[in-house]
Amino acid sequence: MKLGILGGTSLAKTLGSKYLDAGLSVVFGVCSDFDTEANEWKALNRLHHRICPFESAIIQSEIILICSENEHLTEICAALKNVDLDDKIIVDCTNASYKQKLANTNTTQIIKAAPKAATFKAFNNLGIDYPNSDVLGIIKETYFCGDHEQERLRLKRLIELIGFRAIDVGRMVNAPLLEAFYHLSKEICWNKKENSCYHFKLISV
């Protein structure tokens, strides 16, 4: 199984490194003007030779994690439209810009671009600056949702492979709720006027 991770973010690099350490084959898709000479990415590319354009990464991969900045989502969706996505799984790890009305605009855009793929939402609670948002390494869980029952177990195992607890929150209609958690954590940080990051933990009673 080959994993494609799209985006030149810290989240993309961190998840990719974790999956490489777990023994998976990983390819990173980045935008055309991405600086592959940046120290951490240069080392990653030298060791694994795995940085390529978005479309190439999508073609090579069975499971695709979208971990990009929002500004690159249009380019990613254009690449998704250009390739055959049958039997591929797409995981949206992004968060759209906050709006008072709950809406998963990034996820909707991705689904429209890749109607034949099994699309899920996961890892977005980490944020694209992860692990800088969790310097103590205390986040041990991520929530996921999607409408494709046969691929749910594969995604759950993929999440658990790198040490996260995979919490299934149901169908894709719940994707806006996952983004709401992310934006609420940012609002807490802003209102407290602290440099600290705040995260949520699920507790069963």
Side-chain angles (χ1 to χ4, degrees):
M1 178 180 67
K2 179 171 282 188
L3 191 67
I5 302 184
L6 309 185
T9 62
S10 182
L11 175 64
K13 177 172 59 63
T14 302
L15 292 179
S17 296
K18 287 179 178 290
Y19 282 119
L20 285 167
D21 290 343
L24 268 65
S25 177
V26 178
V27 60
F28 296 90
V30 296
C31 60
S32 55
D33 60 352
F34 182 73
D35 181 14
T36 57
E37 294 300 306
N39 287 340
E40 294 176 329
W41 285 95
K42 184 177 181 179
L44 192 63
N45 198 33
R46 185 174 66 249
L47 291 173
H48 301 285
H49 308 290
R50 286 291 183 265
I51 299 179
C52 61
F54 290 135
E55 189 168 322
S56 176
I58 294 167
I59 291 170
Q60 295 179 58
S61 306
E62 297 175 57
I63 301 179
I64 301 155
L65 274 62
I66 301 178
C67 304
S68 72
E69 296 95 340
N70 289 344
E71 63 194 75
H72 297 304
L73 195 60
T74 299
E75 186 179 348
I76 288 173
C77 287
L80 289 170
K81 290 177 181 178
N82 286 338
V83 302
D84 180 7
L85 298 172
D86 285 350
D87 300 322
K88 293 185 185 290
I89 295 175
I90 296 177
V91 183
D92 174 19
C93 308
T94 69
N95 291 288
S97 299
Y98 175 69
K99 297 179 180 179
Q100 287 292 330
K101 181 180 179 181
L102 287 177
N104 56 325
T105 54
N106 285 3
T107 310
T108 300
Q109 188 176 347
I110 291 165
I111 290 173
K112 286 182 178 178
K116 294 183 179 180
T119 302
F120 290 86
K121 185 102 178 162
F123 291 121
N124 72 292
N125 64 304
L126 304 182
I128 61 171
D129 57 343
Y130 178 84
N132 297 330
S133 57
D134 182 30
V135 293
L136 298 179
I138 61 174
I139 304 175
K140 300 298 183 184
E141 60 193 18
T142 191
Y143 311 90
F144 73 97
C145 63
D147 296 334
H148 299 268
E149 292 303 321
Q150 290 185 336
E151 291 81 5
R152 300 186 85 80
L153 183 58
R154 290 182 66 188
L155 178 58
K156 182 175 185 292
R157 288 173 175 168
L158 186 72
I159 293 169
E160 293 172 342
L161 183 64
I162 55 172
F164 287 96
R165 180 185 175 198
I167 300 169
D168 189 339
V169 300
R171 302 184 70 80
M172 188 59 88
V173 68
N174 293 326
L177 301 178
L178 301 192
E179 293 201 10
F181 266 93
Y182 171 81
H183 289 300
L184 180 57
S185 70
K186 293 300 180 186
E187 286 295 306
I188 293 171
C189 296
W190 185 87
N191 279 294
K192 285 187 170 291
K193 297 178 172 60
E194 298 175 355
N195 291 327
S196 300
C197 295
Y198 288 81
H199 301 279
F200 298 99
K201 180 163 185 63
L202 186 67
I203 299 173
S204 177
V205 294

